[in-house]
Amino acid sequence: MNPVLEPLFRTVRATHPKADLRVIERAYDVAAYHHRDQKRKSGDPYITHPLAVATILAELGTDDETLCAALLHDTVEDTAYSLDELRGDFGETIASLVDGVTKLDKVKFGDAAQAETVRKMVVAMSRDIRVLIIKLADRLHNMRTMRYLPEHKRHQKSRETLEIFAPLAHRLGMNTIKWELEDLAFAMLYPKRYDEIARMVSERAPRRDLFLQEVIEKVSGDLREAKIRAVVKGRPKHYYSVYQKMIARDVAFDDIYDLVGIRVLVDSVRDCYAALGTIHARWNPVPGRFKDYIAMPKFNMYQSLHTTVIGPEGKPVELQIRTHAMHHRAEYGVAAHWKYKEEVGTPGPTGKVKPGSDMAWLRQLLDWQKETSDPGEFLESLRFDLSVSEVYVFTPKGQVIALPEGATPVDFAYAVHTEVGHRCIGARVNGRLVPLESRLGNGDTVEIFTSKSPDAGPSRDWLKFVKSGRARNKIRQWFSKERRETAIEAGKEAIGRAMRKQGLPLQRLMSGEALLALARDLRYPDVSALYAAVGEGHVAAQAVVQKLVASIGGVDSAEEDIAETSLPTRLRGRPRGGGGAGVVVAGDADVWVRLSKCCTPVPGDEIVGFVTRGHGVSVHRADCTNVQQLKTQPDRLVDVSWSPSDDSVFLVAIQVEALDRPRLLSDVTRTLSDQHVNILSASVTTSRDRVAVSKFTFEMGDPKHLGHVLKAVRSIQGVFDVYRVSGASG
């Protein structure tokens, strides 16, 4: 036997003793021969990648056909070995698995090709789910070795992993793969946020571990007394899931991290409920936090009892109680069932598997991809569909339809049939008439009323509340075909309204050039297409306005630029010299000089001067975004140089990025005050992903002091980045 295969075979023997090792060795030999001259970006021989993918799958307990396909998955795409040769050597099943995993071809046509690749994968995996399992293992090994790729590639792959592959792993119940994919992608995309959470976790680990040990000992002791055989252990904390909980539950890090998680593994379903009773006898359960996923399993075959109790010191403790078989399924999902044809399905209350029911989602996806002609739209809908939980509702005839959480009767109507959706005018839920925007709950019976009118069609307002990708796509398609002109007018009006609301100069910002450049940036062929996109709700008018303002250097810059090109105004009083600003103008010491607010230059920055009409000379950093526009009037540019005196004061703007928490702003302002800086203005925005971005403008006498200020702010808990900002690129 080839010694390279020994670790793989050891794993295979442990997880799947009946596997045919000879065919696996033959697959390795063929792959090694055809990849013999290829190297990975890391410099390792290429065969190390298929071997690593096969090892990941062997750990999951997959069958020998899957392992052979994993070893051969790149041969057809990357070598001279053809699919027909592979079919002749290894049979139809392994060949179809390899073909399913193979990307469209080596040529990449941007997003559409990537979307088309995902679409092809969806079609293949609906025929045989093992295609997706191999793809997930392939992506996991690529993520582990991602550091050898260029930065833009790393970011693209990591985003794809978070939006598509990790949720797909979750759909298939493969939690071990899901957690590792999420943490690897999170660390790659947001290294500073990842490091900050890791730092906060490590700081609290010793105290938390002592508490965890105390809870485990008490639970183990109680179960021993009740004569229930059990393994009790702490649940590992994954950095990305901690971060996600901070966003979803809108609570601070301490409240999540102090919540101790315990897992109890027992021998039988009966023991699960007995263990639950024993735990509730010691500690009071928290009302509303008990979930029975054994009697009602999740869509991805997950089974467990969940409860939260008030543990020692009054701290909440989360417990998951499940059998060893359920635990194996929770970790490895469908990959744990190597007898796919018979076993794939959703476990019933007894823990046995009902064939095929969990693949309904894939079949629905297959129908859906046939209907959606635009691959980009399909990919966007898939991302949304993967990111939400589900509710199950009934048709009047008792057929079950799965919809995203928060779905409405309109989503239900489109799930039944496109025409039912378009003609929907009312709904009855559980026998009662309800508004179309009502949220549906698990177990609701829904009846739809339709219009007989030939002009019946969806309402644009439906886009505000529908939740399913299918309904959204169908409504958008209808408006795209029927209402393009109306959409263009509506889009134009919406952008104009958003500008007037902010008091921005309509004429200047809506000039053909600025809008055309923005339309091209957003990948629309012309300005009309951009207006139509806004009118149809694909792009928010506010987002367009923000991008337009950003393209000319921000709101302050826009206002300043307008001031500089406005009519001359008379100075009140005598122009002051430049000494107070610490800048002198070449050839004229007695000119009023002001430091521009758009880029807040300080000594050490390269600067240029611009003669304004009636406002003296404004000084900008050489790399300020506004300087490009000022250079169109070279006769008004003047040479300026730094000449700071003891009484010179400079404006500095800094940006602080932190994981949001209570009292964050007060901690930052206190730290700035401790550093003896005079804060002139502050703005704070918190994004949906729990990142607080604060901007502070303050006065400083000695710019060298800035380094100490930044260091002090960086040491505040939760702050993962702080830097000086300017009108330059940042």
Side-chain angles (χ1 to χ4, degrees), residues 114 118 160-168 379 382-383 386:
Q114 190 260 345
V118 173
E160 210 174 275
T161 299
L162 273 187
E163 292 177 351
I164 295 171
F165 290 99
L168 279 171
L379 188 61
L382 174 64
R383 282 184 180 129
L386 288 171

Side-chain angles (χ1 to χ4, degrees), residues 196-368:
E196 185 61 29
I197 286 180
R199 183 173 72 93
M200 295 194 293
V201 166
S202 64
E203 278 174 2
R204 289 160 181 74
R207 190 183 75 236
R208 187 176 178 278
D209 289 349
L210 285 172
F211 180 72
L212 191 64
Q213 206 48 48
E214 181 191 345
V215 175
I216 288 173
E217 282 167 12
K218 286 184 175 169
V219 172
S220 300
D222 287 352
L223 294 175
R224 259 196 316 275
E225 275 180 36
K227 296 193 169 41
I228 299 168
R229 279 204 317 171
V231 177
V232 184
K233 52 189 179 183
R235 269 190 3 252
K237 286 280 179 183
H238 301 280
Y239 296 153
Y240 185 68
S241 67
V242 169
Y243 179 53
Q244 285 296 91
K245 282 177 185 167
M246 288 170 70
I247 298 167
R249 294 189 191 169
D250 197 28
V251 288
F253 171 81
D254 283 341
D255 295 340
I256 288 165
Y257 194 69
D258 286 346
L259 191 63
V260 167
I262 300 286
R263 188 169 286 146
V264 180
L265 304 181
V266 294
D267 294 337
S268 67
V269 172
R270 184 186 294 271
D271 286 349
C272 289
Y273 292 100
L276 178 75
T278 306
I279 289 160
H280 282 181
R282 173 182 277 275
W283 290 310
N284 287 332
V286 176
R289 292 302 299 274
F290 171 66
K291 301 263 187 349
D292 186 344
Y293 293 121
I294 292 179
M296 292 284 288
K298 284 190 180 183
F299 60 80
N300 59 7
M301 306 188 298
Y302 175 89
Q303 286 185 291
S304 223
L305 294 177
H306 287 197
T307 186
T308 303
V309 297
I310 302 299
E313 303 169 29
K315 286 186 180 174
V317 177
E318 277 185 349
L319 293 112
Q320 293 176 349
I321 306 164
R322 56 175 80 143
T323 66
H324 292 279
M326 288 171 192
H327 179 59
H328 194 246
R329 198 158 44 225
E331 297 293 290
Y332 304 130
V334 295
H337 304 299
W338 53 271
K339 293 178 186 166
Y340 291 89
K341 304 275 187 299
E342 305 87 62
E343 290 202 48
V344 163
T346 307
T350 59
K352 289 184 179 168
V353 179
K354 294 175 286 186
S357 53
D358 82 311
M359 292 301 107
W361 175 73
L362 283 178
R363 283 196 294 277
Q364 172 194 323
L365 207 55
L366 187 61
D367 295 341
W368 182 25

Side-chain angles (χ1 to χ4, degrees), residues 257-504:
Y257 194 69
D258 286 346
L259 191 63
V260 167
I262 300 286
R263 188 169 286 146
V264 180
L265 304 181
V266 294
D267 294 337
S268 67
V269 172
R270 184 186 294 271
D271 286 349
C272 289
Y273 292 100
L276 178 75
T278 306
I279 289 160
H280 282 181
R282 173 182 277 275
W283 290 310
N284 287 332
V286 176
R289 292 302 299 274
F290 171 66
K291 301 263 187 349
D292 186 344
Y293 293 121
I294 292 179
M296 292 284 288
K298 284 190 180 183
F299 60 80
N300 59 7
M301 306 188 298
Y302 175 89
Q303 286 185 291
S304 223
L305 294 177
H306 287 197
T307 186
T308 303
V309 297
I310 302 299
E313 303 169 29
K315 286 186 180 174
V317 177
E318 277 185 349
L319 293 112
Q320 293 176 349
I321 306 164
R322 56 175 80 143
T323 66
H324 292 279
M326 288 171 192
H327 179 59
H328 194 246
R329 198 158 44 225
E331 297 293 290
Y332 304 130
V334 295
H337 304 299
W338 53 271
K339 293 178 186 166
Y340 291 89
K341 304 275 187 299
E342 305 87 62
E343 290 202 48
V344 163
T346 307
T350 59
K352 289 184 179 168
V353 179
K354 294 175 286 186
S357 53
D358 82 311
M359 292 301 107
W361 175 73
L362 283 178
R363 283 196 294 277
Q364 172 194 323
L365 207 55
L366 187 61
D367 295 341
W368 182 25
Q369 71 85 23
K370 286 176 190 161
E371 292 167 1
T372 310
S373 56
D374 175 14
E377 196 174 293
F378 169 71
L379 188 61
E380 184 194 332
S381 304
L382 174 64
R383 282 184 180 129
F384 175 80
D385 198 57
L386 288 171
S387 65
V388 293
S389 309
E390 289 189 319
V391 294
Y392 298 93
V393 295
F394 296 98
T395 66
K397 290 182 179 173
Q399 184 192 347
V400 178
I401 289 186
L403 293 170
E405 196 170 35
T408 64
V410 175
D411 294 288
F412 175 87
Y414 278 103
V416 171
H417 194 278
T418 303
E419 278 306 305
V420 175
H422 285 343
R423 296 179 171 279
C424 170
I425 51 169
R428 190 181 277 150
V429 176
N430 303 331
R432 285 190 313 116
L433 288 170
V434 297
L436 287 178
E437 63 268 26
S438 311
R439 289 169 66 116
L440 300 176
N442 269 320
D444 284 347
T445 300
V446 187
E447 187 184 347
I448 298 294
F449 303 119
T450 53
S451 166
K452 298 280 190 292
S453 162
D455 300 326
S459 159
R460 198 182 295 279
D461 290 339
W462 291 358
L463 286 169
K464 293 175 186 168
F465 58 73
V466 291
K467 284 287 184 282
S468 65
R470 180 187 167 93
R472 195 172 297 278
N473 285 340
K474 292 295 177 191
I475 296 165
R476 280 178 179 166
Q477 278 173 15
W478 194 86
F479 280 109
S480 298
K481 285 176 193 160
E482 305 284 324
R483 309 284 156 89
R484 185 171 163 80
E485 291 303 315
T486 318
I488 290 172
E489 283 307 309
K492 202 169 186 177
E493 178 57 35
I495 292 173
R497 208 165 40 242
M499 284 186 185
R500 281 193 293 273
K501 206 169 178 183
Q502 289 190 33
L504 294 170

